[in-house]
Amino acid sequence: GQAAALARLLSDCGLRPGERLLLTGGAEASLVIALVAALRGGFEPALAPLDLEPAELAAYARAINAAALAGPTEYGAPVPPETYFAAAAAAPSIRLLATLGPQEIDGAVDLGAAAVLHYAATHPNIAIERGGPMPGAPPRIITYDRGRRKPVIHQQATLMAASLDFVARAAIGREM
């Protein structure tokens, strides 16, 4: 599907398993697909809030030594392209700048839904292995402590256990 195609596209853009991808965005399908694709490709995704100024976004990228930065071009209001370019310029580890759509930005790789679906259609035998072997342990997911802007690294199994515990304690779909 779309996540497999995006994982392969990231690999074809030069990302290697184990490298970190800083994703910024809101509650949109494109961010979820990018997160799943990053995990599927063996990359370590980091989730940063969308409302950051370029210097703050660069600091988030430097804190995790991000190899790539991707975010939407619009979320309620347009996100100025300069935000991503300025952040990438101030974070030396970033070598791939991408957008999650809906618009393209000159100088950034388009990872929007239409671009990924086109990539999948033109590469019918997509396999994720292109970037090399998957790491022995599942990739971690990185979030940030907003107060101190420090990275917080999570193991996938821990997040899954916490999610299942939350669902078990919630009264979703049950009468009290």
Side-chain angles (χ1 to χ4, degrees), residues 56-91:
E56 294 174 301
L57 191 55
Y60 277 58
R62 285 191 306 270
I64 62 159
N65 201 31
L69 169 62
T73 54
E74 188 173 305
Y75 186 74
V79 177
E82 299 80 32
T83 300
Y84 298 126
F85 286 112

PDB file of all heavy atoms in Angstrom, residues 56-91:
ATOM      1  N   GLU A  56      13.295  26.793  16.219  1.00  0.00           N
ATOM      2  CA  GLU A  56      12.863  25.730  17.127  1.00  0.00           C
ATOM      3  C   GLU A  56      12.852  24.375  16.414  1.00  0.00           C
ATOM      4  O   GLU A  56      13.286  23.369  16.973  1.00  0.00           O
ATOM      5  CB  GLU A  56      11.463  26.017  17.663  1.00  0.00           C
ATOM      6  CG  GLU A  56      11.359  27.236  18.563  1.00  0.00           C
ATOM      7  CD  GLU A  56       9.919  27.532  18.916  1.00  0.00           C
ATOM      8  OE1 GLU A  56       9.114  27.751  17.982  1.00  0.00           O
ATOM      9  OE2 GLU A  56       9.607  27.520  20.118  1.00  0.00           O
ATOM     10  N   LEU A  57      12.354  24.368  15.177  1.00  0.00           N
ATOM     11  CA  LEU A  57      12.312  23.131  14.404  1.00  0.00           C
ATOM     12  C   LEU A  57      13.735  22.613  14.163  1.00  0.00           C
ATOM     13  O   LEU A  57      14.002  21.407  14.280  1.00  0.00           O
ATOM     14  CB  LEU A  57      11.583  23.375  13.079  1.00  0.00           C
ATOM     15  CG  LEU A  57      11.202  22.164  12.247  1.00  0.00           C
ATOM     16  CD1 LEU A  57      10.374  21.162  13.038  1.00  0.00           C
ATOM     17  CD2 LEU A  57      10.439  22.609  11.008  1.00  0.00           C
ATOM     18  N   ALA A  58      14.648  23.504  13.879  1.00  0.00           N
ATOM     19  CA  ALA A  58      16.050  23.118  13.695  1.00  0.00           C
ATOM     20  C   ALA A  58      16.627  22.540  14.986  1.00  0.00           C
ATOM     21  O   ALA A  58      17.379  21.557  14.949  1.00  0.00           O
ATOM     22  CB  ALA A  58      16.875  24.319  13.242  1.00  0.00           C
ATOM     23  N   ALA A  59      16.273  23.131  16.117  1.00  0.00           N
ATOM     24  CA  ALA A  59      16.752  22.612  17.402  1.00  0.00           C
ATOM     25  C   ALA A  59      16.231  21.197  17.649  1.00  0.00           C
ATOM     26  O   ALA A  59      16.961  20.333  18.136  1.00  0.00           O
ATOM     27  CB  ALA A  59      16.332  23.544  18.543  1.00  0.00           C
ATOM     28  N   TYR A  60      14.973  20.948  17.309  1.00  0.00           N
ATOM     29  CA  TYR A  60      14.408  19.596  17.434  1.00  0.00           C
ATOM     30  C   TYR A  60      15.193  18.635  16.550  1.00  0.00           C
ATOM     31  O   TYR A  60      15.516  17.516  16.956  1.00  0.00           O
ATOM     32  CB  TYR A  60      12.930  19.591  17.027  1.00  0.00           C
ATOM     33  CG  TYR A  60      11.964  20.010  18.116  1.00  0.00           C
ATOM     34  CD1 TYR A  60      12.054  21.247  18.735  1.00  0.00           C
ATOM     35  CD2 TYR A  60      10.919  19.177  18.493  1.00  0.00           C
ATOM     36  CE1 TYR A  60      11.155  21.628  19.710  1.00  0.00           C
ATOM     37  CE2 TYR A  60      10.016  19.549  19.475  1.00  0.00           C
ATOM     38  CZ  TYR A  60      10.139  20.780  20.078  1.00  0.00           C
ATOM     39  OH  TYR A  60       9.249  21.155  21.048  1.00  0.00           O
ATOM     40  N   ALA A  61      15.492  19.051  15.310  1.00  0.00           N
ATOM     41  CA  ALA A  61      16.231  18.195  14.377  1.00  0.00           C
ATOM     42  C   ALA A  61      17.644  17.916  14.888  1.00  0.00           C
ATOM     43  O   ALA A  61      18.120  16.775  14.833  1.00  0.00           O
ATOM     44  CB  ALA A  61      16.275  18.838  12.997  1.00  0.00           C
ATOM     45  N   ARG A  62      18.315  18.947  15.395  1.00  0.00           N
ATOM     46  CA  ARG A  62      19.676  18.765  15.906  1.00  0.00           C
ATOM     47  C   ARG A  62      19.687  17.862  17.129  1.00  0.00           C
ATOM     48  O   ARG A  62      20.618  17.074  17.314  1.00  0.00           O
ATOM     49  CB  ARG A  62      20.310  20.119  16.239  1.00  0.00           C
ATOM     50  CG  ARG A  62      20.740  20.908  15.014  1.00  0.00           C
ATOM     51  CD  ARG A  62      21.612  22.106  15.397  1.00  0.00           C
ATOM     52  NE  ARG A  62      20.994  22.973  16.389  1.00  0.00           N
ATOM     53  CZ  ARG A  62      20.210  24.008  16.109  1.00  0.00           C
ATOM     54  NH1 ARG A  62      19.943  24.321  14.855  1.00  0.00           N
ATOM     55  NH2 ARG A  62      19.702  24.750  17.074  1.00  0.00           N
ATOM     56  N   ALA A  63      18.662  17.954  17.964  1.00  0.00           N
ATOM     57  CA  ALA A  63      18.616  17.157  19.193  1.00  0.00           C
ATOM     58  C   ALA A  63      18.603  15.657  18.916  1.00  0.00           C
ATOM     59  O   ALA A  63      19.045  14.870  19.752  1.00  0.00           O
ATOM     60  CB  ALA A  63      17.387  17.542  20.021  1.00  0.00           C
ATOM     61  N   ILE A  64      18.114  15.263  17.751  1.00  0.00           N
ATOM     62  CA  ILE A  64      18.065  13.829  17.425  1.00  0.00           C
ATOM     63  C   ILE A  64      18.963  13.463  16.254  1.00  0.00           C
ATOM     64  O   ILE A  64      18.970  12.324  15.800  1.00  0.00           O
ATOM     65  CB  ILE A  64      16.624  13.367  17.125  1.00  0.00           C
ATOM     66  CG1 ILE A  64      16.065  14.089  15.906  1.00  0.00           C
ATOM     67  CG2 ILE A  64      15.742  13.508  18.343  1.00  0.00           C
ATOM     68  CD1 ILE A  64      14.910  13.379  15.250  1.00  0.00           C
ATOM     69  N   ASN A  65      19.697  14.436  15.721  1.00  0.00           N
ATOM     70  CA  ASN A  65      20.556  14.199  14.574  1.00  0.00           C
ATOM     71  C   ASN A  65      19.736  13.681  13.386  1.00  0.00           C
ATOM     72  O   ASN A  65      20.079  12.676  12.756  1.00  0.00           O
ATOM     73  CB  ASN A  65      21.681  13.221  14.939  1.00  0.00           C
ATOM     74  CG  ASN A  65      22.849  13.325  13.997  1.00  0.00           C
ATOM     75  OD1 ASN A  65      23.128  14.390  13.465  1.00  0.00           O
ATOM     76  ND2 ASN A  65      23.516  12.202  13.775  1.00  0.00           N
ATOM     77  N   ALA A  66      18.646  14.380  13.082  1.00  0.00           N
ATOM     78  CA  ALA A  66      17.724  13.960  12.026  1.00  0.00           C
ATOM     79  C   ALA A  66      18.394  14.015  10.657  1.00  0.00           C
ATOM     80  O   ALA A  66      19.073  14.982  10.325  1.00  0.00           O
ATOM     81  CB  ALA A  66      16.483  14.846  12.018  1.00  0.00           C
ATOM     82  N   ALA A  67      18.187  12.965   9.868  1.00  0.00           N
ATOM     83  CA  ALA A  67      18.698  12.921   8.498  1.00  0.00           C
ATOM     84  C   ALA A  67      17.702  13.524   7.520  1.00  0.00           C
ATOM     85  O   ALA A  67      18.061  13.889   6.411  1.00  0.00           O
ATOM     86  CB  ALA A  67      19.012  11.480   8.097  1.00  0.00           C
ATOM     87  N   ALA A  68      16.434  13.600   7.949  1.00  0.00           N
ATOM     88  CA  ALA A  68      15.388  14.110   7.049  1.00  0.00           C
ATOM     89  C   ALA A  68      14.358  14.898   7.849  1.00  0.00           C
ATOM     90  O   ALA A  68      14.166  14.666   9.041  1.00  0.00           O
ATOM     91  CB  ALA A  68      14.710  12.957   6.319  1.00  0.00           C
ATOM     92  N   LEU A  69      13.695  15.812   7.159  1.00  0.00           N
ATOM     93  CA  LEU A  69      12.629  16.635   7.730  1.00  0.00           C
ATOM     94  C   LEU A  69      11.476  16.634   6.748  1.00  0.00           C
ATOM     95  O   LEU A  69      11.680  16.881   5.555  1.00  0.00           O
ATOM     96  CB  LEU A  69      13.132  18.070   7.961  1.00  0.00           C
ATOM     97  CG  LEU A  69      12.094  19.140   8.307  1.00  0.00           C
ATOM     98  CD1 LEU A  69      11.391  18.815   9.623  1.00  0.00           C
ATOM     99  CD2 LEU A  69      12.751  20.508   8.372  1.00  0.00           C
ATOM    100  N   ALA A  70      10.279  16.325   7.244  1.00  0.00           N
ATOM    101  CA  ALA A  70       9.092  16.332   6.380  1.00  0.00           C
ATOM    102  C   ALA A  70       7.904  16.872   7.156  1.00  0.00           C
ATOM    103  O   ALA A  70       7.735  16.584   8.344  1.00  0.00           O
ATOM    104  CB  ALA A  70       8.784  14.920   5.876  1.00  0.00           C
ATOM    105  N   GLY A  71       7.082  17.654   6.470  1.00  0.00           N
ATOM    106  CA  GLY A  71       5.885  18.206   7.087  1.00  0.00           C
ATOM    107  C   GLY A  71       4.905  18.659   6.022  1.00  0.00           C
ATOM    108  O   GLY A  71       5.242  18.706   4.834  1.00  0.00           O
ATOM    109  N   PRO A  72       3.706  19.002   6.438  1.00  0.00           N
ATOM    110  CA  PRO A  72       2.684  19.431   5.475  1.00  0.00           C
ATOM    111  C   PRO A  72       2.941  20.852   4.983  1.00  0.00           C
ATOM    112  O   PRO A  72       3.608  21.641   5.648  1.00  0.00           O
ATOM    113  CB  PRO A  72       1.395  19.365   6.294  1.00  0.00           C
ATOM    114  CG  PRO A  72       1.851  19.654   7.691  1.00  0.00           C
ATOM    115  CD  PRO A  72       3.213  19.018   7.810  1.00  0.00           C
ATOM    116  N   THR A  73       2.395  21.151   3.819  1.00  0.00           N
ATOM    117  CA  THR A  73       2.487  22.515   3.304  1.00  0.00           C
ATOM    118  C   THR A  73       1.281  23.329   3.744  1.00  0.00           C
ATOM    119  O   THR A  73       1.259  24.539   3.586  1.00  0.00           O
ATOM    120  CB  THR A  73       2.563  22.519   1.768  1.00  0.00           C
ATOM    121  OG1 THR A  73       1.455  21.789   1.250  1.00  0.00           O
ATOM    122  CG2 THR A  73       3.855  21.897   1.292  1.00  0.00           C
ATOM    123  N   GLU A  74       0.310  22.638   4.319  1.00  0.00           N
ATOM    124  CA  GLU A  74      -0.896  23.316   4.782  1.00  0.00           C
ATOM    125  C   GLU A  74      -1.541  22.487   5.879  1.00  0.00           C
ATOM    126  O   GLU A  74      -1.629  21.268   5.785  1.00  0.00           O
ATOM    127  CB  GLU A  74      -1.871  23.469   3.617  1.00  0.00           C
ATOM    128  CG  GLU A  74      -3.072  24.335   3.939  1.00  0.00           C
ATOM    129  CD  GLU A  74      -3.912  24.587   2.696  1.00  0.00           C
ATOM    130  OE1 GLU A  74      -3.368  25.079   1.697  1.00  0.00           O
ATOM    131  OE2 GLU A  74      -5.106  24.259   2.749  1.00  0.00           O
ATOM    132  N   TYR A  75      -1.947  23.156   6.944  1.00  0.00           N
ATOM    133  CA  TYR A  75      -2.707  22.517   8.020  1.00  0.00           C
ATOM    134  C   TYR A  75      -3.568  23.613   8.628  1.00  0.00           C
ATOM    135  O   TYR A  75      -3.125  24.353   9.494  1.00  0.00           O
ATOM    136  CB  TYR A  75      -1.794  21.880   9.064  1.00  0.00           C
ATOM    137  CG  TYR A  75      -2.564  21.088  10.092  1.00  0.00           C
ATOM    138  CD1 TYR A  75      -3.106  19.850   9.763  1.00  0.00           C
ATOM    139  CD2 TYR A  75      -2.770  21.572  11.369  1.00  0.00           C
ATOM    140  CE1 TYR A  75      -3.827  19.120  10.689  1.00  0.00           C
ATOM    141  CE2 TYR A  75      -3.488  20.856  12.298  1.00  0.00           C
ATOM    142  CZ  TYR A  75      -4.010  19.627  11.962  1.00  0.00           C
ATOM    143  OH  TYR A  75      -4.727  18.896  12.880  1.00  0.00           O
ATOM    144  N   GLY A  76      -4.772  23.756   8.134  1.00  0.00           N
ATOM    145  CA  GLY A  76      -5.622  24.870   8.537  1.00  0.00           C
ATOM    146  C   GLY A  76      -5.229  26.139   7.807  1.00  0.00           C
ATOM    147  O   GLY A  76      -6.033  26.785   7.176  1.00  0.00           O
ATOM    148  N   ALA A  77      -3.975  26.480   7.876  1.00  0.00           N
ATOM    149  CA  ALA A  77      -3.424  27.642   7.159  1.00  0.00           C
ATOM    150  C   ALA A  77      -2.141  27.170   6.487  1.00  0.00           C
ATOM    151  O   ALA A  77      -1.535  26.197   6.921  1.00  0.00           O
ATOM    152  CB  ALA A  77      -3.127  28.771   8.137  1.00  0.00           C
ATOM    153  N   PRO A  78      -1.722  27.840   5.438  1.00  0.00           N
ATOM    154  CA  PRO A  78      -0.478  27.437   4.769  1.00  0.00           C
ATOM    155  C   PRO A  78       0.716  27.499   5.720  1.00  0.00           C
ATOM    156  O   PRO A  78       0.815  28.381   6.558  1.00  0.00           O
ATOM    157  CB  PRO A  78      -0.325  28.455   3.642  1.00  0.00           C
ATOM    158  CG  PRO A  78      -1.697  28.984   3.406  1.00  0.00           C
ATOM    159  CD  PRO A  78      -2.383  28.949   4.744  1.00  0.00           C
ATOM    160  N   VAL A  79       1.606  26.515   5.586  1.00  0.00           N
ATOM    161  CA  VAL A  79       2.865  26.523   6.323  1.00  0.00           C
ATOM    162  C   VAL A  79       3.900  27.110   5.369  1.00  0.00           C
ATOM    163  O   VAL A  79       4.117  26.569   4.288  1.00  0.00           O
ATOM    164  CB  VAL A  79       3.271  25.097   6.739  1.00  0.00           C
ATOM    165  CG1 VAL A  79       4.621  25.107   7.431  1.00  0.00           C
ATOM    166  CG2 VAL A  79       2.209  24.465   7.629  1.00  0.00           C
ATOM    167  N   PRO A  80       4.515  28.239   5.727  1.00  0.00           N
ATOM    168  CA  PRO A  80       5.472  28.868   4.804  1.00  0.00           C
ATOM    169  C   PRO A  80       6.634  27.926   4.477  1.00  0.00           C
ATOM    170  O   PRO A  80       7.235  27.349   5.391  1.00  0.00           O
ATOM    171  CB  PRO A  80       5.976  30.087   5.580  1.00  0.00           C
ATOM    172  CG  PRO A  80       4.985  30.311   6.665  1.00  0.00           C
ATOM    173  CD  PRO A  80       4.384  28.970   6.976  1.00  0.00           C
ATOM    174  N   PRO A  81       6.952  27.757   3.205  1.00  0.00           N
ATOM    175  CA  PRO A  81       8.069  26.879   2.824  1.00  0.00           C
ATOM    176  C   PRO A  81       9.377  27.282   3.498  1.00  0.00           C
ATOM    177  O   PRO A  81      10.204  26.437   3.799  1.00  0.00           O
ATOM    178  CB  PRO A  81       8.173  27.056   1.306  1.00  0.00           C
ATOM    179  CG  PRO A  81       6.878  27.615   0.868  1.00  0.00           C
ATOM    180  CD  PRO A  81       6.301  28.349   2.044  1.00  0.00           C
ATOM    181  N   GLU A  82       9.519  28.578   3.776  1.00  0.00           N
ATOM    182  CA  GLU A  82      10.749  29.059   4.413  1.00  0.00           C
ATOM    183  C   GLU A  82      10.972  28.390   5.770  1.00  0.00           C
ATOM    184  O   GLU A  82      12.106  28.257   6.221  1.00  0.00           O
ATOM    185  CB  GLU A  82      10.702  30.582   4.611  1.00  0.00           C
ATOM    186  CG  GLU A  82      10.579  31.375   3.335  1.00  0.00           C
ATOM    187  CD  GLU A  82       9.145  31.430   2.789  1.00  0.00           C
ATOM    188  OE1 GLU A  82       8.162  31.419   3.559  1.00  0.00           O
ATOM    189  OE2 GLU A  82       9.011  31.465   1.557  1.00  0.00           O
ATOM    190  N   THR A  83       9.879  27.997   6.425  1.00  0.00           N
ATOM    191  CA  THR A  83      10.007  27.331   7.723  1.00  0.00           C
ATOM    192  C   THR A  83      10.876  26.090   7.596  1.00  0.00           C
ATOM    193  O   THR A  83      11.819  25.889   8.364  1.00  0.00           O
ATOM    194  CB  THR A  83       8.612  26.940   8.272  1.00  0.00           C
ATOM    195  OG1 THR A  83       7.834  28.121   8.426  1.00  0.00           O
ATOM    196  CG2 THR A  83       8.711  26.216   9.598  1.00  0.00           C
ATOM    197  N   TYR A  84      10.572  25.260   6.610  1.00  0.00           N
ATOM    198  CA  TYR A  84      11.318  24.013   6.420  1.00  0.00           C
ATOM    199  C   TYR A  84      12.736  24.267   5.908  1.00  0.00           C
ATOM    200  O   TYR A  84      13.694  23.651   6.376  1.00  0.00           O
ATOM    201  CB  TYR A  84      10.567  23.082   5.468  1.00  0.00           C
ATOM    202  CG  TYR A  84       9.214  22.662   5.998  1.00  0.00           C
ATOM    203  CD1 TYR A  84       8.070  22.845   5.244  1.00  0.00           C
ATOM    204  CD2 TYR A  84       9.078  22.091   7.254  1.00  0.00           C
ATOM    205  CE1 TYR A  84       6.820  22.459   5.729  1.00  0.00           C
ATOM    206  CE2 TYR A  84       7.846  21.704   7.748  1.00  0.00           C
ATOM    207  CZ  TYR A  84       6.716  21.891   6.980  1.00  0.00           C
ATOM    208  OH  TYR A  84       5.493  21.511   7.461  1.00  0.00           O
ATOM    209  N   PHE A  85      12.879  25.183   4.947  1.00  0.00           N
ATOM    210  CA  PHE A  85      14.208  25.453   4.391  1.00  0.00           C
ATOM    211  C   PHE A  85      15.139  26.056   5.445  1.00  0.00           C
ATOM    212  O   PHE A  85      16.303  25.678   5.538  1.00  0.00           O
ATOM    213  CB  PHE A  85      14.115  26.370   3.169  1.00  0.00           C
ATOM    214  CG  PHE A  85      13.594  25.665   1.955  1.00  0.00           C
ATOM    215  CD1 PHE A  85      12.348  25.983   1.440  1.00  0.00           C
ATOM    216  CD2 PHE A  85      14.338  24.677   1.323  1.00  0.00           C
ATOM    217  CE1 PHE A  85      11.854  25.330   0.323  1.00  0.00           C
ATOM    218  CE2 PHE A  85      13.856  24.023   0.208  1.00  0.00           C
ATOM    219  CZ  PHE A  85      12.607  24.348  -0.301  1.00  0.00           C
ATOM    220  N   ALA A  86      14.621  26.989   6.232  1.00  0.00           N
ATOM    221  CA  ALA A  86      15.449  27.621   7.272  1.00  0.00           C
ATOM    222  C   ALA A  86      15.836  26.604   8.343  1.00  0.00           C
ATOM    223  O   ALA A  86      16.975  26.601   8.821  1.00  0.00           O
ATOM    224  CB  ALA A  86      14.709  28.805   7.891  1.00  0.00           C
ATOM    225  N   ALA A  87      14.901  25.743   8.718  1.00  0.00           N
ATOM    226  CA  ALA A  87      15.202  24.717   9.721  1.00  0.00           C
ATOM    227  C   ALA A  87      16.253  23.752   9.197  1.00  0.00           C
ATOM    228  O   ALA A  87      17.206  23.405   9.907  1.00  0.00           O
ATOM    229  CB  ALA A  87      13.924  23.964  10.100  1.00  0.00           C
ATOM    230  N   ALA A  88      16.104  23.308   7.945  1.00  0.00           N
ATOM    231  CA  ALA A  88      17.078  22.372   7.357  1.00  0.00           C
ATOM    232  C   ALA A  88      18.454  23.021   7.245  1.00  0.00           C
ATOM    233  O   ALA A  88      19.473  22.367   7.479  1.00  0.00           O
ATOM    234  CB  ALA A  88      16.587  21.901   5.995  1.00  0.00           C
ATOM    235  N   ALA A  89      18.496  24.299   6.902  1.00  0.00           N
ATOM    236  CA  ALA A  89      19.779  24.996   6.773  1.00  0.00           C
ATOM    237  C   ALA A  89      20.490  25.119   8.112  1.00  0.00           C
ATOM    238  O   ALA A  89      21.722  25.147   8.164  1.00  0.00           O
ATOM    239  CB  ALA A  89      19.560  26.382   6.161  1.00  0.00           C
ATOM    240  N   ALA A  90      19.725  25.163   9.196  1.00  0.00           N
ATOM    241  CA  ALA A  90      20.311  25.325  10.530  1.00  0.00           C
ATOM    242  C   ALA A  90      20.570  23.997  11.235  1.00  0.00           C
ATOM    243  O   ALA A  90      21.040  23.982  12.367  1.00  0.00           O
ATOM    244  CB  ALA A  90      19.396  26.196  11.390  1.00  0.00           C
ATOM    245  N   ALA A  91      20.239  22.894  10.574  1.00  0.00           N
ATOM    246  CA  ALA A  91      20.465  21.559  11.158  1.00  0.00           C
ATOM    247  C   ALA A  91      21.341  20.774  10.173  1.00  0.00           C
ATOM    248  O   ALA A  91      20.837  20.189   9.219  1.00  0.00           O
ATOM    249  CB  ALA A  91      19.149  20.849  11.402  1.00  0.00           C
TER     250      ALA A  91
END
